[in-house]
Coordinates of all heavy atoms in Angstrom, one line a residue:
M1 N 17.5 9.4 -8.8 CA 17.0 10.6 -9.5 C 17.9 11.1 -10.5 O 17.5 11.4 -11.6 CB 16.7 11.7 -8.5 CG 15.7 11.5 -7.5 SD 14.1 11.7 -8.1 CE 13.1 11.9 -6.7
A2 N 19.2 11.1 -10.2 CA 20.2 11.5 -11.2 C 20.2 10.6 -12.4 O 20.4 11.0 -13.5 CB 21.6 11.6 -10.6
A3 N 20.0 9.3 -12.2 CA 20.0 8.3 -13.3 C 18.8 8.6 -14.2 O 18.8 8.4 -15.4 CB 19.9 6.9 -12.7
N4 N 17.6 9.0 -13.6 CA 16.4 9.3 -14.4 C 16.5 10.6 -15.1 O 16.0 10.8 -16.2 CB 15.2 9.2 -13.5 CG 14.7 7.8 -13.2 OD1 15.1 6.9 -13.9 ND2 13.9 7.6 -12.2
Y5 N 17.0 11.6 -14.4 CA 16.9 13.0 -14.9 C 18.2 13.7 -15.2 O 18.2 14.8 -15.7 CB 16.2 13.8 -13.8 CG 14.8 13.3 -13.5 CD1 14.5 12.7 -12.3 CD2 13.8 13.4 -14.5 CE1 13.2 12.2 -12.1 CE2 12.5 12.9 -14.2 CZ 12.2 12.3 -13.0 OH 11.0 11.8 -12.8
G6 N 19.3 13.0 -15.0 CA 20.6 13.6 -15.3 C 20.8 15.0 -14.7 O 20.6 15.2 -13.5
A7 N 21.3 15.9 -15.5 CA 21.6 17.3 -15.1 C 20.4 18.0 -14.5 O 20.5 18.9 -13.7 CB 22.3 18.1 -16.2
R8 N 19.2 17.6 -15.0 CA 18.0 18.3 -14.5 C 17.9 18.2 -13.0 O 17.5 19.1 -12.3 CB 16.7 17.8 -15.1 CG 16.5 18.2 -16.5 CD 15.2 17.6 -17.0 NE 15.0 18.0 -18.4 CZ 14.0 17.5 -19.1 NH1 13.1 16.6 -18.6 NH2 13.8 17.9 -20.3
F9 N 18.2 17.0 -12.4 CA 18.1 16.8 -11.0 C 19.2 17.7 -10.3 O 18.9 18.4 -9.3 CB 18.3 15.3 -10.7 CG 18.2 15.1 -9.2 CD1 16.9 15.2 -8.6 CD2 19.2 14.7 -8.4 CE1 16.8 14.9 -7.2 CE2 19.1 14.4 -7.1 CZ 17.8 14.5 -6.5
A10 N 20.4 17.6 -10.8 CA 21.5 18.4 -10.2 C 21.2 19.9 -10.2 O 21.4 20.7 -9.3 CB 22.8 18.1 -10.8
D11 N 20.6 20.4 -11.4 CA 20.3 21.8 -11.6 C 19.2 22.2 -10.6 O 19.2 23.4 -10.2 CB 19.8 22.0 -13.0 CG 21.0 21.9 -14.0 OD1 22.1 22.0 -13.6 OD2 20.7 21.8 -15.2
A12 N 18.3 21.3 -10.2 CA 17.3 21.7 -9.3 C 17.8 22.1 -7.9 O 17.2 22.9 -7.2 CB 16.3 20.6 -9.1
W13 N 19.0 21.6 -7.6 CA 19.6 21.9 -6.3 C 20.8 22.8 -6.4 O 21.6 22.9 -5.4 CB 19.9 20.6 -5.6 CG 18.7 19.7 -5.6 CD1 18.5 18.6 -6.3 CD2 17.5 19.9 -4.8 NE1 17.2 18.1 -6.0 CE2 16.6 18.9 -5.2 CE3 17.0 20.9 -4.0 CZ2 15.3 18.8 -4.6 CZ3 15.8 20.9 -3.4 CH2 14.9 19.8 -3.8
R14 N 21.1 23.4 -7.5 CA 22.2 24.2 -7.7 C 22.2 25.3 -6.6 O 21.2 25.9 -6.3 CB 22.2 24.9 -9.0 CG 23.5 25.7 -9.3 CD 23.5 26.2 -10.7 NE 23.4 24.9 -11.5 CZ 23.4 25.0 -12.8 NH1 23.4 26.1 -13.5 NH2 23.3 23.9 -13.5
G15 N 23.4 25.5 -6.0 CA 23.5 26.5 -4.9 C 23.1 26.1 -3.5 O 23.2 26.8 -2.6
V16 N 22.7 24.8 -3.4 CA 22.3 24.3 -2.1 C 23.3 23.2 -1.8 O 23.7 22.4 -2.6 CB 20.9 23.7 -2.1 CG1 20.5 23.1 -0.8 CG2 19.9 24.7 -2.6
E17 N 23.8 23.2 -0.6 CA 24.8 22.2 -0.1 C 24.1 20.8 -0.3 O 23.0 20.5 0.2 CB 25.1 22.4 1.3 CG 26.2 23.4 1.6 CD 27.5 23.0 1.0 OE1 27.9 21.8 1.1 OE2 28.1 23.9 0.4
P18 N 24.8 19.9 -1.0 CA 24.3 18.5 -1.2 C 24.0 17.8 0.2 O 23.0 17.1 0.3 CB 25.4 17.8 -1.9 CG 26.2 18.8 -2.6 CD 26.1 20.0 -1.7
E19 N 24.7 18.0 1.2 CA 24.5 17.4 2.5 C 23.2 17.9 3.1 O 22.5 17.2 3.7 CB 25.7 17.6 3.4 CG 26.9 16.9 3.0 CD 26.7 15.4 2.7 OE1 26.1 14.7 3.5 OE2 27.2 15.0 1.7
T20 N 22.9 19.2 2.8 CA 21.6 19.8 3.3 C 20.4 19.1 2.6 O 19.5 18.7 3.3 CB 21.6 21.3 3.1 OG1 22.7 21.9 3.8 CG2 20.3 21.9 3.6
V21 N 20.6 19.0 1.3 CA 19.5 18.4 0.5 C 19.3 16.9 1.0 O 18.1 16.5 1.3 CB 19.8 18.4 -1.0 CG1 18.8 17.6 -1.8 CG2 19.9 19.8 -1.5
K22 N 20.4 16.2 1.1 CA 20.3 14.8 1.6 C 19.6 14.7 3.0 O 18.8 13.8 3.2 CB 21.6 14.1 1.6 CG 22.2 13.9 0.2 CD 23.6 13.3 0.4 CE 24.3 13.2 -1.0 NZ 25.7 12.7 -0.8
A23 N 20.0 15.6 3.9 CA 19.5 15.5 5.2 C 18.0 15.8 5.3 O 17.2 15.2 6.0 CB 20.2 16.5 6.1
V24 N 17.6 16.8 4.5 CA 16.1 17.2 4.5 C 15.3 16.1 3.9 O 14.3 15.7 4.4 CB 15.9 18.5 3.7 CG1 14.4 18.8 3.5 CG2 16.6 19.7 4.5
W25 N 15.8 15.5 2.7 CA 15.1 14.4 2.1 C 15.0 13.2 3.0 O 14.0 12.6 3.1 CB 15.7 14.1 0.7 CG 15.3 15.0 -0.4 CD1 15.5 16.3 -0.5 CD2 14.5 14.6 -1.5 NE1 14.9 16.8 -1.7 CE2 14.3 15.7 -2.3 CE3 14.0 13.4 -2.0 CZ2 13.6 15.7 -3.5 CZ3 13.3 13.3 -3.2 CH2 13.1 14.5 -3.9
A26 N 16.1 12.9 3.6 CA 16.2 11.7 4.5 C 15.2 11.9 5.7 O 14.5 10.9 6.0 CB 17.6 11.5 5.0
K27 N 15.2 13.1 6.2 CA 14.2 13.3 7.4 C 12.8 13.1 6.9 O 12.0 12.4 7.6 CB 14.4 14.7 7.9 CG 13.6 15.0 9.1 CD 13.8 16.4 9.7 CE 12.9 16.6 10.8 NZ 13.1 18.0 11.4
K28 N 12.4 13.7 5.8 CA 11.0 13.6 5.3 C 10.7 12.2 4.8 O 9.6 11.7 5.1 CB 10.8 14.6 4.2 CG 10.9 16.1 4.6 CD 9.8 16.4 5.5 CE 9.8 17.9 5.8 NZ 8.7 18.4 6.6
L29 N 11.6 11.6 4.1 CA 11.3 10.2 3.6 C 11.4 9.2 4.7 O 10.8 8.1 4.6 CB 12.3 9.9 2.5 CG 12.2 10.8 1.2 CD1 13.2 10.3 0.2 CD2 10.8 10.8 0.7
G30 N 12.0 9.5 5.8 CA 12.1 8.6 6.9 C 10.8 8.2 7.5 O 10.7 7.2 8.2
S31 N 9.8 9.1 7.3 CA 8.5 8.8 7.9 C 7.6 7.9 7.0 O 6.5 7.5 7.4 CB 7.7 10.1 8.1 OG 7.5 10.7 6.9
L32 N 8.2 7.6 5.8 CA 7.4 6.7 4.9 C 7.9 5.3 5.0 O 9.0 5.0 5.4 CB 7.7 7.2 3.4 CG 7.3 8.6 3.1 CD1 7.7 8.9 1.7 CD2 5.8 8.8 3.2
K33 N 7.0 4.4 4.6 CA 7.3 3.0 4.6 C 8.1 2.6 3.4 O 7.9 3.3 2.3 CB 6.0 2.2 4.7 CG 5.2 2.4 5.9 CD 3.9 1.6 5.9 CE 3.1 2.0 7.1 NZ 1.7 1.4 7.1
P34 N 8.9 1.6 3.4 CA 9.7 1.2 2.2 C 8.8 1.0 1.0 O 9.2 1.4 -0.1 CB 10.4 -0.1 2.7 CG 10.5 0.1 4.1 CD 9.2 0.8 4.6
E35 N 7.6 0.4 1.2 CA 6.8 0.1 0.0 C 6.3 1.4 -0.6 O 6.1 1.5 -1.8 CB 5.7 -0.8 0.3 CG 4.7 -0.4 1.3 CD 5.0 -0.9 2.7 OE1 6.1 -1.3 3.0 OE2 4.2 -0.8 3.6
Q36 N 6.1 2.5 0.2 CA 5.7 3.8 -0.3 C 6.8 4.4 -1.1 O 6.5 5.0 -2.2 CB 5.3 4.7 0.9 CG 4.0 4.3 1.6 CD 3.7 5.2 2.7 OE1 4.5 5.4 3.6 NE2 2.5 5.8 2.7
I37 N 8.0 4.3 -0.6 CA 9.1 4.9 -1.4 C 9.3 4.1 -2.7 O 9.5 4.7 -3.7 CB 10.4 4.8 -0.5 CG1 10.2 5.8 0.7 CG2 11.6 5.3 -1.4 CD1 11.3 5.8 1.7
R38 N 9.2 2.8 -2.7 CA 9.2 2.0 -3.9 C 8.1 2.5 -4.9 O 8.4 2.6 -6.1 CB 9.1 0.5 -3.6 CG 10.4 -0.1 -3.2 CD 10.3 -1.6 -3.2 NE 9.4 -2.1 -2.2 CZ 9.7 -2.3 -0.9 NH1 10.9 -2.1 -0.5 NH2 8.8 -2.8 0.0
R39 N 6.9 2.8 -4.3 CA 5.8 3.2 -5.2 C 6.2 4.6 -5.8 O 6.0 4.8 -7.0 CB 4.6 3.4 -4.4 CG 3.4 3.8 -5.2 CD 2.1 3.9 -4.3 NE 1.9 2.8 -3.4 CZ 1.6 2.9 -2.1 NH1 1.5 4.1 -1.6 NH2 1.5 1.9 -1.3
G40 N 6.8 5.5 -5.0 CA 7.2 6.8 -5.5 C 8.2 6.7 -6.6 O 8.1 7.3 -7.7
I41 N 9.2 5.8 -6.4 CA 10.2 5.6 -7.4 C 9.6 5.0 -8.7 O 9.9 5.4 -9.8 CB 11.3 4.7 -6.9 CG1 12.1 5.4 -5.8 CG2 12.2 4.2 -8.0 CD1 13.0 4.5 -5.0
G42 N 8.6 4.1 -8.5 CA 7.9 3.5 -9.7 C 7.1 4.6 -10.4 O 6.9 4.4 -11.7
Q43 N 6.6 5.6 -9.7 CA 5.8 6.6 -10.4 C 6.7 7.7 -11.1 O 6.1 8.5 -11.8 CB 5.0 7.3 -9.3 CG 3.9 6.5 -8.7 CD 2.9 6.0 -9.6 OE1 2.5 6.7 -10.5 NE2 2.4 4.8 -9.5
L44 N 8.0 7.6 -11.0 CA 8.8 8.6 -11.6 C 8.7 8.6 -13.1 O 9.0 9.6 -13.8 CB 10.3 8.5 -11.2 CG 10.6 8.8 -9.7 CD1 12.1 8.4 -9.5 CD2 10.3 10.3 -9.4
E45 N 8.3 7.5 -13.7 CA 8.2 7.4 -15.1 C 7.2 8.4 -15.7 O 7.3 8.8 -16.8 CB 7.7 6.0 -15.5 CG 8.8 4.9 -15.2 CD 8.3 3.5 -15.4 OE1 7.1 3.4 -15.9 OE2 9.0 2.6 -15.2
Q46 N 6.2 8.8 -14.9 CA 5.2 9.8 -15.3 C 5.7 11.2 -15.2 O 5.0 12.1 -15.7 CB 3.9 9.6 -14.6 CG 4.0 10.0 -13.1 CD 2.7 9.7 -12.4 OE1 1.8 9.1 -12.9 NE2 2.6 10.2 -11.1
C47 N 6.9 11.5 -14.6 CA 7.4 12.8 -14.4 C 8.4 13.2 -15.5 O 9.4 12.5 -15.6 CB 8.0 13.0 -13.0 SG 6.9 12.6 -11.7
K48 N 8.1 14.2 -16.2 CA 9.1 14.7 -17.2 C 10.3 15.4 -16.5 O 11.4 15.4 -17.0 CB 8.5 15.7 -18.2 CG 7.5 15.1 -19.1 CD 7.0 16.1 -20.1 CE 6.1 15.5 -21.1 NZ 5.6 16.5 -22.1
F49 N 10.0 16.0 -15.4 CA 11.1 16.8 -14.6 C 11.2 16.2 -13.3 O 10.3 15.6 -12.7 CB 10.7 18.2 -14.5 CG 10.5 18.9 -15.9 CD1 9.3 19.0 -16.5 CD2 11.6 19.4 -16.5 CE1 9.1 19.6 -17.7 CE2 11.5 20.0 -17.8 CZ 10.3 20.1 -18.4
P50 N 12.4 16.3 -12.6 CA 12.6 15.7 -11.3 C 11.6 16.4 -10.3 O 11.4 17.6 -10.3 CB 14.0 16.1 -11.0 CG 14.5 17.1 -11.9 CD 13.6 17.0 -13.1
P51 N 10.9 15.6 -9.5 CA 10.0 16.1 -8.6 C 10.6 16.8 -7.4 O 11.8 16.5 -7.1 CB 9.2 14.9 -8.1 CG 10.2 13.8 -8.2 CD 11.0 14.1 -9.4
T52 N 10.0 17.8 -6.9 CA 10.4 18.4 -5.7 C 10.1 17.4 -4.5 O 9.5 16.4 -4.7 CB 9.6 19.7 -5.4 OG1 8.2 19.4 -5.2 CG2 9.8 20.7 -6.5
L53 N 10.6 17.7 -3.4 CA 10.4 16.8 -2.2 C 8.9 16.6 -2.0 O 8.4 15.5 -1.9 CB 11.1 17.3 -1.0 CG 10.9 16.5 0.3 CD1 11.3 15.0 0.1 CD2 11.7 17.1 1.4
P54 N 8.1 17.7 -1.9 CA 6.7 17.5 -1.7 C 6.0 16.7 -2.8 O 5.1 15.9 -2.6 CB 6.1 18.9 -1.6 CG 7.2 19.8 -1.2 CD 8.4 19.1 -1.8
E55 N 6.4 16.9 -4.0 CA 5.9 16.2 -5.2 C 6.2 14.7 -5.1 O 5.4 13.8 -5.3 CB 6.4 16.7 -6.5 CG 5.8 18.1 -6.8 CD 6.5 18.8 -8.0 OE1 7.7 18.4 -8.4 OE2 5.9 19.7 -8.6
F56 N 7.5 14.4 -4.7 CA 7.9 13.0 -4.6 C 7.1 12.3 -3.4 O 6.7 11.2 -3.6 CB 9.4 12.9 -4.3 CG 9.9 11.5 -4.3 CD1 9.9 10.7 -5.4 CD2 10.2 10.9 -3.1 CE1 10.3 9.3 -5.4 CE2 10.6 9.6 -3.0 CZ 10.7 8.8 -4.2
I57 N 6.9 13.0 -2.3 CA 6.2 12.4 -1.2 C 4.7 12.2 -1.7 O 4.2 11.1 -1.4 CB 6.2 13.4 0.0 CG1 7.6 13.3 0.6 CG2 5.2 12.9 1.0 CD1 7.8 14.3 1.7
A58 N 4.2 13.1 -2.5 CA 2.8 12.8 -3.0 C 2.8 11.6 -3.9 O 1.8 10.8 -3.8 CB 2.3 14.1 -3.8
L59 N 3.8 11.4 -4.7 CA 3.9 10.2 -5.5 C 4.0 8.9 -4.7 O 3.3 7.9 -5.0 CB 5.1 10.2 -6.4 CG 5.2 11.2 -7.6 CD1 6.5 11.3 -8.2 CD2 4.1 11.0 -8.6
C60 N 4.7 9.0 -3.6 CA 4.9 7.9 -2.7 C 3.5 7.5 -2.0 O 3.3 6.4 -1.7 CB 5.9 8.2 -1.6 SG 7.6 8.4 -2.2
K61 N 2.7 8.5 -1.7 CA 1.5 8.3 -1.0 C 0.3 8.1 -1.9 O -0.8 7.8 -1.4 CB 1.2 9.5 -0.1 CG 2.2 9.6 1.0 CD 1.9 10.7 2.0 CE 2.8 10.8 3.2 NZ 2.4 11.8 4.1
Q62 N 0.5 8.1 -3.2 CA -0.6 7.9 -4.1 C -1.2 6.5 -3.9 O -0.5 5.5 -3.6 CB -0.2 7.9 -5.6 CG -0.1 9.3 -6.1 CD 0.3 9.3 -7.6 OE1 0.6 8.3 -8.2 NE2 0.2 10.5 -8.2
A63 N -2.5 6.4 -3.9 CA -3.1 5.1 -3.8 C -2.8 4.2 -5.0 O -2.7 4.7 -6.1 CB -4.7 5.2 -3.7
I64 N -2.6 3.0 -4.7 CA -2.3 2.0 -5.8 C -3.6 1.6 -6.5 O -4.5 1.3 -5.8 CB -1.6 0.7 -5.3 CG1 -0.3 1.1 -4.6 CG2 -1.4 -0.3 -6.4 CD1 0.3 -0.1 -3.9
P65 N -3.7 1.7 -7.8 CA -4.9 1.3 -8.4 C -5.2 -0.2 -8.1 O -4.3 -1.0 -8.1 CB -4.6 1.4 -9.9 CG -3.5 2.4 -10.0 CD -2.7 2.2 -8.7
Q66 N -6.4 -0.4 -7.6 CA -6.7 -1.8 -7.2 C -7.3 -2.7 -8.2 O -7.8 -3.7 -7.9 CB -7.7 -1.6 -6.0 CG -7.1 -0.9 -4.8 CD -5.9 -1.7 -4.2 OE1 -6.0 -2.8 -3.9 NE2 -4.8 -1.0 -4.0
A67 N -7.2 -2.3 -9.5 CA -7.8 -3.1 -10.5 C -7.2 -4.5 -10.6 O -7.9 -5.5 -10.9 CB -7.6 -2.4 -11.9
H68 N -6.0 -4.6 -10.2 CA -5.3 -5.9 -10.3 C -5.8 -6.8 -9.1 O -5.6 -8.0 -9.2 CB -3.8 -5.8 -10.3 CG -3.3 -5.3 -9.0 ND1 -3.4 -4.0 -8.6 CD2 -2.6 -5.9 -8.0 CE1 -2.8 -3.8 -7.4 NE2 -2.4 -4.9 -7.0
V69 N -6.4 -6.3 -8.1 CA -6.9 -7.1 -7.0 C -8.4 -7.3 -7.0 O -8.9 -8.0 -6.2 CB -6.4 -6.6 -5.6 CG1 -4.9 -6.7 -5.5 CG2 -6.9 -5.2 -5.3
L70 N -9.0 -6.5 -7.8 CA -10.5 -6.7 -7.9 C -10.9 -8.0 -8.5 O -10.2 -8.6 -9.3 CB -11.1 -5.6 -8.7 CG -10.9 -4.2 -8.2 CD1 -11.6 -3.2 -9.2 CD2 -11.6 -4.0 -6.9
K71 N -11.9 -8.6 -7.9 CA -12.3 -9.9 -8.5 C -13.8 -9.9 -8.6 O -14.5 -9.1 -7.9 CB -11.8 -11.0 -7.7 CG -12.2 -10.9 -6.2 CD -11.5 -12.0 -5.4 CE -11.6 -11.8 -4.0 NZ -11.0 -12.8 -3.2
L72 N -14.3 -10.7 -9.5 CA -15.7 -10.8 -9.7 C -16.4 -11.5 -8.4 O -15.7 -12.3 -7.8 CB -16.0 -11.6 -10.9 CG -15.6 -11.0 -12.2 CD1 -15.8 -12.1 -13.3 CD2 -16.3 -9.8 -12.5
P73 N -17.6 -11.1 -8.2 CA -18.2 -11.8 -7.0 C -18.4 -13.3 -7.3 O -18.4 -13.7 -8.5 CB -19.6 -11.1 -7.0 CG -19.8 -10.5 -8.3 CD -18.5 -10.2 -8.8
A74 N -18.4 -14.1 -6.3 CA -18.6 -15.5 -6.5 C -19.9 -15.8 -7.3 O -20.9 -15.1 -7.0 CB -18.7 -16.2 -5.1
P75 N -19.8 -16.7 -8.2 CA -21.0 -17.0 -9.0 C -22.1 -17.6 -8.1 O -21.8 -18.3 -7.2 CB -20.5 -18.0 -10.0 CG -19.3 -18.6 -9.5 CD -18.7 -17.6 -8.6
R76 N -23.3 -17.1 -8.4 CA -24.4 -17.6 -7.6 C -25.0 -18.9 -8.3 O -25.2 -18.9 -9.5 CB -25.5 -16.6 -7.5 CG -24.9 -15.3 -6.8 CD -26.0 -14.4 -6.4 NE -26.6 -15.1 -5.3 CZ -27.5 -14.5 -4.5 NH1 -27.9 -13.3 -4.8 NH2 -28.0 -15.1 -3.5
P77 N -25.2 -19.9 -7.6 CA -25.7 -21.1 -8.2 C -27.1 -20.9 -8.7 O -27.9 -20.2 -8.1 CB -25.7 -22.2 -7.1 CG -25.6 -21.4 -5.8 CD -25.0 -20.1 -6.1
S78 N -27.4 -21.6 -9.8 CA -28.8 -21.5 -10.3 C -29.7 -22.4 -9.4 O -29.2 -23.2 -8.7 CB -28.8 -22.1 -11.8 OG -28.6 -23.5 -11.7
P79 N -31.0 -22.2 -9.6 CA -31.9 -23.0 -8.8 C -31.7 -24.5 -9.0 O -31.7 -25.3 -8.1 CB -33.3 -22.6 -9.3 CG -33.1 -21.2 -9.8 CD -31.8 -21.2 -10.3
E80 N -31.4 -24.9 -10.2 CA -31.1 -26.3 -10.5 C -29.9 -26.8 -9.8 O -29.8 -27.9 -9.3 CB -30.9 -26.5 -12.1 CG -32.2 -26.3 -12.9 CD -32.4 -24.8 -13.2 OE1 -31.4 -24.0 -13.1 OE2 -33.5 -24.4 -13.5
Q81 N -28.8 -25.9 -9.8 CA -27.6 -26.3 -9.1 C -27.8 -26.4 -7.6 O -27.3 -27.3 -7.0 CB -26.5 -25.3 -9.4 CG -26.0 -25.3 -10.8 CD -25.1 -24.2 -11.2 OE1 -25.3 -23.1 -10.7 NE2 -24.0 -24.5 -12.0
R82 N -28.6 -25.5 -7.0 CA -28.9 -25.6 -5.6 C -29.7 -26.9 -5.3 O -29.4 -27.6 -4.3 CB -29.7 -24.4 -5.2 CG -28.9 -23.1 -5.1 CD -29.6 -22.0 -4.3 NE -30.8 -21.6 -4.9 CZ -30.9 -20.6 -5.8 NH1 -29.8 -20.0 -6.2 NH2 -32.1 -20.3 -6.2
E83 N -30.6 -27.3 -6.2 CA -31.4 -28.5 -6.0 C -30.4 -29.7 -6.1 O -30.5 -30.6 -5.3 CB -32.5 -28.6 -7.0 CG -33.4 -29.8 -6.9 CD -34.1 -29.9 -5.6 OE1 -34.5 -28.8 -5.0 OE2 -34.4 -31.0 -5.1
Q84 N -29.5 -29.7 -7.0 CA -28.6 -30.8 -7.2 C -27.7 -30.9 -5.9 O -27.4 -32.0 -5.4 CB -27.7 -30.6 -8.4 CG -28.4 -30.8 -9.7 CD -27.5 -30.5 -10.9 OE1 -26.4 -29.9 -10.7 NE2 -28.0 -30.8 -12.1
G85 N -27.3 -29.8 -5.4 CA -26.5 -29.8 -4.2 C -27.2 -30.4 -3.0 O -26.7 -31.2 -2.2
R86 N -28.5 -30.0 -2.8 CA -29.3 -30.5 -1.8 C -29.5 -32.0 -1.9 O -29.4 -32.8 -0.9 CB -30.7 -29.8 -1.7 CG -30.7 -28.4 -1.1 CD -32.1 -27.9 -0.8 NE -32.8 -27.6 -2.0 CZ -32.7 -26.4 -2.6 NH1 -32.0 -25.4 -2.1 NH2 -33.4 -26.2 -3.7
N87 N -29.7 -32.5 -3.1 CA -29.9 -33.9 -3.4 C -28.6 -34.7 -3.0 O -28.6 -35.7 -2.4 CB -30.3 -34.2 -4.8 CG -31.7 -33.7 -5.1 OD1 -32.5 -33.5 -4.2 ND2 -32.0 -33.4 -6.4
R88 N -27.4 -34.1 -3.4 CA -26.2 -34.7 -3.1 C -26.0 -34.8 -1.6 O -25.5 -35.9 -1.0 CB -25.0 -34.0 -3.7 CG -25.0 -34.2 -5.2 CD -23.9 -33.4 -5.9 NE -22.6 -33.8 -5.4 CZ -21.5 -33.0 -5.6 NH1 -21.6 -31.9 -6.2 NH2 -20.4 -33.4 -5.1
I89 N -26.3 -33.7 -0.8 CA -26.2 -33.8 0.6 C -27.1 -34.8 1.2 O -26.7 -35.6 2.1 CB -26.5 -32.4 1.2 CG1 -25.3 -31.4 0.8 CG2 -26.6 -32.4 2.7 CD1 -25.6 -29.9 1.1
N90 N -28.3 -34.9 0.8 CA -29.3 -35.9 1.3 C -28.8 -37.3 1.0 O -28.9 -38.2 1.8 CB -30.7 -35.6 0.7 CG -31.3 -34.4 1.3 OD1 -31.0 -33.9 2.4 ND2 -32.2 -33.8 0.5
E91 N -28.2 -37.5 -0.2 CA -27.7 -38.8 -0.5 C -26.6 -39.2 0.4 O -26.5 -40.3 0.9 CB -27.3 -38.8 -2.0 CG -26.7 -40.2 -2.5 CD -27.7 -41.3 -2.4 OE1 -28.9 -41.1 -2.5 OE2 -27.3 -42.5 -2.2
M92 N -25.7 -38.2 0.7 CA -24.6 -38.5 1.6 C -25.1 -38.8 3.0 O -24.6 -39.7 3.7 CB -23.6 -37.3 1.6 CG -22.8 -37.1 0.4 SD -21.6 -35.8 0.6 CE -21.7 -35.0 -1.0
K93 N -26.1 -38.1 3.4 CA -26.7 -38.3 4.7 C -27.2 -39.8 4.8 O -27.0 -40.5 5.8 CB -27.8 -37.3 5.0 CG -27.3 -36.0 5.4 CD -28.6 -35.1 5.7 CE -28.2 -33.7 6.1 NZ -29.4 -32.9 6.4
R94 N -27.9 -40.2 3.7 CA -28.5 -41.5 3.7 C -27.4 -42.6 3.8 O -27.4 -43.5 4.5 CB -29.3 -41.7 2.4 CG -30.7 -41.2 2.6 CD -31.6 -41.7 1.4 NE -31.2 -41.2 0.1 CZ -31.6 -40.0 -0.4 NH1 -32.3 -39.2 0.3 NH2 -31.2 -39.6 -1.6
M95 N -26.3 -42.3 3.0 CA -25.2 -43.2 3.0 C -24.5 -43.4 4.4 O -24.0 -44.4 4.8 CB -24.1 -42.8 2.0 CG -24.6 -43.0 0.5 SD -23.5 -42.3 -0.7 CE -22.0 -43.3 -0.4
L96 N -24.5 -42.3 5.1 CA -23.9 -42.3 6.4 C -24.8 -42.7 7.5 O -24.5 -42.8 8.7 CB -23.3 -40.9 6.7 CG -22.2 -40.4 5.8 CD1 -21.8 -38.9 6.1 CD2 -20.9 -41.3 6.1
G97 N -26.1 -42.9 7.2 CA -27.1 -43.3 8.1 C -27.6 -42.1 9.0 O -28.3 -42.3 10.0
A98 N -27.4 -40.9 8.5 CA -27.9 -39.8 9.2 C -29.3 -39.5 8.7 O -29.7 -39.8 7.6 CB -27.0 -38.5 9.0
T99 N -30.1 -38.9 9.5 CA -31.5 -38.5 9.1 C -31.7 -37.1 9.0 O -31.0 -36.3 9.5 CB -32.5 -39.1 10.1 OG1 -32.2 -38.6 11.4 CG2 -32.5 -40.6 10.0

């Protein structure tokens, strides 16, 4: 946080014991999965100011846009392609002696 926000981060906790801040953040972030914390850190680029603990937790819990995993449905074969497939299966059956 200090690397991203410099003095703004330190100023947010002025007057609070650093060990207290660390302990509270560690306790709350301890319930998150590592990938959630990585997601929160990745989301810091959208924040002009250092997030509060609840804001950072919200960043960590944001749903990942799934656009990168969406895929088109499997193409449906045309009637001609289905017929060709049936013909190929029948030909294979004949070759193998199956009826």
Side-chain angles (χ1 to χ4, degrees):
M1 295 281 200
N4 282 341
Y5 300 108
R8 286 182 179 173
F9 183 69
D11 289 345
W13 308 109
R14 186 173 303 177
V16 181
E17 277 297 315
E19 295 307 314
T20 302
V21 174
K22 290 178 187 177
V24 171
W25 277 66
K27 181 178 179 183
K28 295 290 187 175
L29 297 180
S31 65
L32 299 175
K33 297 176 183 173
E35 61 267 15
Q36 289 177 305
I37 294 174
R38 280 191 291 276
R39 183 180 315 130
I41 292 169
Q43 295 294 325
L44 290 175
E45 294 173 1
Q46 71 183 5
C47 300
K48 289 183 178 182
F49 299 97
T52 63
L53 178 56
E55 290 169 340
F56 184 71
I57 290 173
L59 291 173
C60 293
K61 291 184 175 182
Q62 278 183 351
I64 298 174
Q66 296 298 309
H68 67 287
V69 295
L70 296 178
K71 52 186 170 182
L72 295 173
R76 300 195 74 169
S78 68
E80 294 82 18
Q81 291 170 320
R82 286 195 298 273
E83 181 64 30
Q84 288 173 351
R86 280 192 291 273
N87 291 339
R88 288 177 58 199
I89 291 171
N90 290 333
E91 180 60 31
M92 286 184 222
K93 284 180 178 180
R94 277 193 295 278
M95 290 173 62
L96 295 172
T99 54

